[in-house]
Amino acid sequence: MSDFILEGKGLTQCYKTDTGRVLTACRAVDVTLRKGETLGIVGESGCGKSTLLRILTQLERPAEGRLFFNGQEITFLKGESLRRNRCHIQMVFQDPAASFFPRMKVGEAITEPLRNFRKLSRQELLDKQAELLELVGLPAEYADRYPHSMSGGQRQRLAIARALALDPDILICDEATSALDVSVQRQIIELLADIQRQRGLSIIFVCHDLALVQSIAHRVMIMYLGGVVEALPGDQVWNQACHPYSKALLGSVFATDMDFDKPLNTLEGDVPSPLDLPCGCSFHTRCPSCVEICRHEQPALREIASEHQAACHLLL
Ligand SMILES: Nc1ncnc2c1ncn2[C@@H]1O[C@H](COP(=O)(O)OP(=O)(O)OP(=O)(O)O)[C@@H](O)[C@H]1O
Ligand code: SF4
Ligand SMILES: [Mg+2]
């Protein structure tokens, strides 16, 4: 039996643009998720987070790489077995308003995935609606409301309820709290943590905000231009994150024992286009610690401490 409920090896995704060029959105990403664990994924816009999630949820098949669920390969599943396997991994998106059909009542909307898979009696459906609403901290009477009459935070609770209707093993949240006020964001995060404790759910939580992610994730993976540059336990991010990009995201200075000449307090410049990936280290065009080797040799992601990997020539 595998230690991991979900495992991706060498996941790569390429897209053809309108002009016929090939864009690499995700580059040889290795990713693992344990039962009951929260994995946070962070990185600037366009670094390939959603692409990776589409592969993990099997909305897209990777151009290269392999995907395993509970140790069983699922990369090439098709038809009914693909549809069945998708029940195990459900997604919550950023915009709760766009996730619901305006003329469908809340109760119907949150049990829609269930109705697509199973035939339920009217009473079973009503019971399930009440159970799901209670799970996300909403009164059962809300089943008769329309989603547009509810607040953004309540709609995001509904989106979580709907994602949990099929009792998945894994919940994937793509910027699921980014559109919410800070206080509502915190409530949703606490709700997810509660549900995780109750159900042993595994969660992948994607967000731009490294500070937020490290506070809720058991492990954090930091991506840049489609690749993983650092991965480490969430509670070590503040003190142990050492890749120049992670440090820049944290807006902190480098540790004094590292051989970096200049401190990097903020990130300057834009992420290069994935159509023209820089040679060598993908971060070298923005990294103030860049040395000659960085311009022509890509650093491998190496274990630099227990449960801690980083890809940087200066972190040997
Ligand atoms: N279907 C597609 N066809 C062509 N290019 C795509 C497609 N999907 C994504 N891309 C490109 O792949 C790169 C990665 O996009 P992706 O949406 O995965 O990034 P992201 O990290 O989720 O960004 P954001 O934080 O803005 O959501 C981007 O350059 C994007 O334009
Ligand atoms: S390999 Fe070089 S360019 Fe890349 S992050 Fe490390 S120091 Fe910076
Ligand atoms: Mg995205």
Side-chain angles (χ1 to χ4, degrees):
M1 187 75 178
S2 167
D3 275 356
F4 305 117
I5 190 160
L6 190 66
E7 184 173 16
K9 293 183 186 171
L11 299 175
T12 297
Q13 190 62 301
C14 304
Y15 299 112
K16 226 180 194 154
T17 66
D18 296 343
T19 54
R21 297 182 68 193
V22 175
L23 175 155
T24 308
C26 204
R27 289 180 293 126
V29 171
D30 290 338
V31 57
T32 55
L33 181 69
R34 295 187 179 96
K35 187 168 167 51
E37 177 183 61
T38 299
L39 171 69
I41 303 181
V42 191
E44 285 168 287
S45 187
C47 72
K49 303 179 295 296
S50 297
T51 302
L52 176 63
L53 298 188
R54 286 195 297 275
I55 296 172
L56 297 178
T57 46
Q58 295 184 284
L59 292 171
E60 288 180 12
R61 189 169 287 166
E64 284 172 36
R66 300 169 72 188
L67 192 59
F68 300 83
F69 177 75
N70 273 332
Q72 300 288 317
E73 178 147 23
I74 56 169
T75 326
F76 303 106
L77 289 185
K78 288 197 278 204
E80 187 55 20
S81 37
L82 173 62
R83 200 173 86 94
R84 292 265 153 215
N85 200 70
R86 282 203 185 120
C87 300
H88 301 299
I89 310 171
Q90 294 288 306
M91 228 165 146
V92 180
F93 297 94
Q94 175 171 0
D95 183 359
S99 317
F100 293 99
F101 184 58
R103 279 188 299 243
M104 194 182 271
K105 284 187 176 171
V106 162
E108 260 183 285
I110 60 175
T111 49
E112 197 188 12
L114 202 57
R115 285 179 285 128
N116 290 337
F117 275 90
R118 268 184 251 154
K119 198 147 179 59
L120 294 172
S121 69
R122 170 101 192 113
Q123 191 54 50
E124 282 172 326
L125 263 180
L126 292 176
D127 291 347
K128 193 69 192 174
Q129 291 173 6
E131 179 199 317
L132 287 169
L133 286 170
E134 189 191 339
L135 184 66
V136 297
L138 293 173
E141 306 83 80
Y142 280 28
D144 276 331
R145 286 199 182 187
Y146 287 97
H148 63 79
S149 68
M150 301 175 74
S151 70
Q154 287 172 331
R155 276 200 294 258
Q156 203 52 300
R157 285 172 189 264
L158 296 181
I160 294 169
R162 185 170 58 184
L164 294 174
L166 291 168
D167 203 11
D169 300 282
I170 301 169
L171 189 67
I172 298 195
C173 303
D174 191 2
E175 305 277 356
T177 61
S178 306
L180 304 173
D181 291 347
V182 176
S183 62
V184 182
Q185 193 174 60
R186 187 43 67 188
Q187 289 166 12
I188 297 289
I189 284 167
E190 281 165 10
L191 172 72
L192 287 171
D194 270 356
I195 296 172
Q196 181 172 57
R197 276 190 292 272
Q198 285 174 39
R199 301 195 158 199
L201 194 67
S202 305
I203 298 178
I204 298 183
F205 190 89
V206 169
C207 179
H208 288 118
D209 183 345
L210 182 51
L212 175 74
V213 167
Q214 63 85 35
S215 72
I216 56 160
H218 300 104
R219 275 188 310 124
V220 173
M221 195 167 101
I222 298 147
M223 289 183 69
Y224 187 75
L225 264 184
V228 178
V229 296
E230 187 161 15
L232 74 169
D235 59 6
Q236 293 180 13
V237 168
W238 279 116
N239 294 322
Q240 307 289 330
C242 51
H243 191 281
Y245 180 60
S246 315
K247 300 290 273 184
L249 286 182
L250 284 168
S252 57
V253 292
F254 290 143
T256 48
D257 59 345
M258 287 170 63
D259 189 21
F260 294 140
D261 291 331
K262 295 186 218 161
L264 176 65
N265 292 314
T266 54
L267 263 175
E268 283 175 16
D270 294 325
V271 185
S273 164
L275 278 169
D276 290 304
L277 287 175
C279 295
C281 172
S282 56
F283 189 52
H284 89 255
T285 56
R286 300 166 85 193
C287 179
S289 304
C290 172
V291 291
E292 188 49 33
I293 187 175
C294 309
R295 292 182 226 281
H296 51 82
E297 199 172 304
Q298 191 180 340
L301 189 68
R302 294 189 189 91
E303 195 88 14
I304 59 165
S306 169
E307 298 265 315
H308 187 172
Q309 298 93 35
C312 172
H313 290 302
L314 303 188
L315 294 168
L316 294 173

